[in-house]
Amino acid sequence: MSQLRAAAAAGRGLRRSGGRAAPPAGQSRKGASSRGAPAPAPPPAQHLFSDPAEIEALRGNLLAWYDKCKRDLPWRTLAAAEPDADRRAYAVWVSEIMLQQTQVATVIDYYNRWMQKWPTLQALAQASLEVSVAGTGCSPCPRGSSSNTAPCLLEQEVNELWAGLGYYSRGKRLQEAARKVVSELAGRMPRTAEDLQKLLPGVGRYTAGAIASISYGQATGVVDGNVIRVLCRLRCIGADSSSPAVIDRLWDMANALVDRSRPGDFNQALMELGATVCVPKAPLCGECPVKQHCRARSRKLFGKPAPVPDVEDCGKCVGGCPLCPPAAEPWDSSLGVTNFPRKAAKKQPRAVRTATCVLERRGCHGAPEYLIVQRPSSGLLAGLWEFPSLTLAQDLQEEKQREALADHLQTWTGRPVAARSLRLIGEVVHIFSHIHQTYVVYSLPLDGDMTLDPALSPSRWVTEEEFHASAVSTAMKKVL
Ligand code: SF4
């Protein structure tokens, strides 16, 4: 039995009485490794939690700190007060999906609006089904503007509510999964992390673990960016923290550490610690509730990690250890605990240039209106609305890009557009996680009306107010 398994077994032996029922983790070691290769040898003891007494002390210290210092967040309040397991799981699920790649402070308003509009998964699924029953094309444009194709109302509502949160496909997948729970699972959320991950689209291992531990009290760990940072520091893990081998080890560790009687609180406490104390650049080690268990801190203070009982194991860390920093990048004393975690160098974002045109006409009351068109339903910014845009070849001269854009605009105007009538306004840069996007912005004021071709993808005229209420990306708001 590996030391980790021994620790996990020891942890089970230390279960406290009381609290919600804690079924077993339900995630086999086989499931944790995506490669199916023979299990590697256990790492040296300095990278593990192998002492049951230490595990118990760490759990107690972390939970006591969490009880005292946790932030008041709407999803926590909802989950704590909700007696119905399905409603509780839905409330946690929405928060976890919104929190992926997005800061807590940003999510709060979006979460409250979402839960007000669709307080249960039945409400979300029902809205979705009503739109499906109405058929494609749904109804005349809800905004009363001239439109060639009415957008799917729910998709539009989801996108509008999500606009500004980024990673828009998350909202769509949440909607699809809610429909699946209602239509295929009789409205009952899967009750284990394993089933949540298997049955719900868009629910990965982390989200499944968070829902199951927080909503159902399943003793299963979670590993997100905050947990990676805390665990790597606690156990001096300096190998590439995005590598599958290290991630597998961290999942093992999270599953071994999770408190058996308060797994949801324990997981949230570990993440809260990473978000508020063990932060990336200037961790507040003096205030840390688990500092006495932190080997990175010992190393900073004493020049080496706290001694571990297994001297032989320690020796293996001198060269060739799969969890130590690579030999070429040893401990840097000026960095202290922020030596951990380490990641392989990020790929440079791809540079993309896009010409975009703000077509403007006078509306019936003389106020300006702008033409927006809907993006395809998959890929970057799927289903969102934008000004007519065209991706440009690299190093295209201004004159050529203007001509290319004029050609493209003809699709929408139904008549030739003179390249010289396009006015170059300037450039807007927007950074997506993997794309460095430059929008070259043109404007084109139109005399008279323009008939939109219903055979084209959805497009509509909007006032400035309607534009801001529409499902448009932050980048397009910058363009306007
Ligand atoms: Fe993080 Fe410092 Fe606490 Fe260690 S002591 S876990 S580095 S905050």
Side-chain angles (χ1 to χ4, degrees):
M1 182 184 285
S2 74
Q3 282 160 306
L4 270 170
R5 284 183 198 166
R12 280 193 289 277
L14 292 165
R15 184 188 307 233
R16 296 184 203 129
S17 59
R20 285 201 293 259
Q27 292 187 1
S28 65
R29 182 65 188 82
K30 190 168 165 241
S33 171
S34 45
R35 278 137 298 283
Q46 79 143 323
H47 301 302
L48 299 175
F49 284 93
S50 41
D51 176 2
E54 187 189 17
I55 292 175
E56 184 65 357
L58 183 143
R59 288 172 179 164
N61 292 338
L62 189 60
L63 284 168
W65 168 81
Y66 181 70
D67 290 341
K68 210 167 107 204
C69 303
K70 68 172 177 246
R71 289 170 293 178
D72 212 5
L73 299 173
W75 43 92
R76 286 184 181 156
T77 313
L78 265 181
E82 178 54 66
D84 181 85
D86 290 307
R87 292 179 77 122
R88 195 164 60 232
Y90 172 71
V92 173
W93 179 20
V94 173
S95 71
E96 290 300 339
I97 298 290
M98 287 189 170
L99 285 164
Q100 288 166 13
Q101 319 277 350
T102 312
Q103 300 282 331
V104 166
T106 309
V107 166
I108 292 175
D109 274 354
Y110 285 90
Y111 181 78
N112 287 335
R113 283 202 298 274
W114 182 285
M115 294 305 286
Q116 222 165 11
K117 198 169 187 71
W118 299 298
T120 60
L121 41 83
Q122 281 75 12
L124 179 59
Q126 187 56 38
S128 179
L129 288 169
E130 276 163 14
V131 169
S132 300
V133 169
T136 52
C138 304
S139 65
C141 174
R143 308 206 174 276
S145 305
S146 54
S147 163
N148 66 352
T149 312
C152 161
L153 293 181
L154 180 69
E155 191 178 316
Q156 185 176 317
E157 278 185 299
V158 167
N159 278 340
E160 281 174 12
L161 209 142
W162 210 273
L165 263 184
Y167 301 92
Y168 295 87
S169 56
R170 292 180 297 172
K172 199 172 156 202
R173 282 211 299 269
L174 192 51
Q175 177 196 330
E176 283 165 13
R179 202 158 55 190
K180 181 172 180 188
V181 174
V182 169
S183 60
E184 295 176 27
L185 306 174
R188 194 172 185 271
M189 288 282 285
R191 285 292 193 268
T192 63
E194 213 166 33
D195 283 349
L196 284 160
Q197 190 181 348
K198 195 166 70 191
L199 297 173
L200 298 188
V203 172
R205 191 174 182 191
Y206 162 78
T207 309
I211 298 172
S213 61
I214 299 170
S215 313
Y216 311 139
Q218 184 184 349
T220 185
V222 294
V223 174
D224 74 342
N226 284 319
V227 174
I228 289 173
R229 184 165 57 257
V230 173
L231 294 182
C232 284
R233 288 175 179 171
L234 285 174
R235 282 302 176 261
C236 284
I237 295 175
D240 176 7
S241 67
S242 61
S243 72
V246 171
I247 293 289
D248 277 355
R249 289 292 179 191
L250 294 174
W251 273 103
D252 285 348
M253 203 182 281
N255 280 328
L257 286 179
V258 65
D259 188 274
R260 270 48 190 168
S261 57
R262 295 179 59 191
D265 284 345
F266 180 88
N267 286 337
Q268 290 183 89
L270 204 54
M271 293 188 275
E272 186 93 340
L273 187 75
T276 61
V277 176
C278 194
V279 291
K281 290 207 171 111
L284 309 169
C285 297
E287 297 170 23
C288 177
V290 294
K291 57 178 178 276
Q292 65 271 45
H293 309 289
C294 181
R295 297 214 159 121
R297 186 165 180 267
S298 308
R299 176 144 198 184
K300 180 183 157 217
L301 295 179
F302 311 116
K304 58 180 182 186
V308 287
D310 190 337
V311 176
E312 197 189 332
D313 261 339
C314 265
K316 286 181 196 160
C317 272
V318 183
C321 169
L323 297 182
C324 272
E329 299 165 39
W331 167 268
D332 176 347
S333 55
S334 69
L335 295 177
V337 297
T338 63
N339 270 283
F340 310 107
R342 294 187 187 190
K343 259 193 193 169
K346 250 190 175 174
K347 267 212 294 200
Q348 285 298 312
R350 187 162 52 89
V352 176
R353 283 177 74 78
T354 299
T356 189
C357 184
V358 181
L359 281 153
E360 183 181 330
R361 72 171 189 185
R362 291 285 131 194
C364 35
H365 301 298
E369 289 185 345
Y370 308 101
L371 181 69
I372 55 173
V373 301
Q374 194 171 24
R375 289 182 61 84
S377 57
S378 59
L380 183 72
L381 306 175
L384 293 197
W385 294 77
E386 65 181 7
F387 298 114
S389 300
L390 177 72
T391 306
L392 298 168
Q394 289 297 330
D395 306 323
L396 203 61
Q397 301 286 320
E398 204 276 316
E399 195 189 324
K400 294 282 176 207
Q401 71 189 23
R402 186 186 285 264
E403 282 169 13
L405 181 61
D407 269 0
H408 179 67
L409 291 175
Q410 193 175 335
T411 319
W412 307 102
T413 60
R415 59 184 183 226
V417 173
R420 66 179 179 285
S421 63
L422 295 173
R423 201 171 127 224
L424 178 61
I425 303 294
E427 294 191 353
V428 165
V429 173
H430 190 79
I431 312 287
F432 296 97
S433 57
H434 56 301
I435 295 175
H436 186 286
Q437 172 75 64
T438 303
Y439 291 99
V440 186
V441 184
Y442 290 85
S443 82
L444 179 61
L446 291 175
D447 294 328
D449 203 358
M450 191 183 99
T451 311
L452 298 170
D453 182 350
L456 297 173
S457 51
S459 60
R460 58 195 166 108
W461 289 99
V462 288
T463 62
E464 186 169 348
E465 197 185 353
E466 287 169 334
F467 173 85
H468 284 288
S470 299
V472 291
S473 65
T474 308
M476 281 297 128
K477 288 183 181 165
K478 286 192 203 169
V479 166
L480 185 64

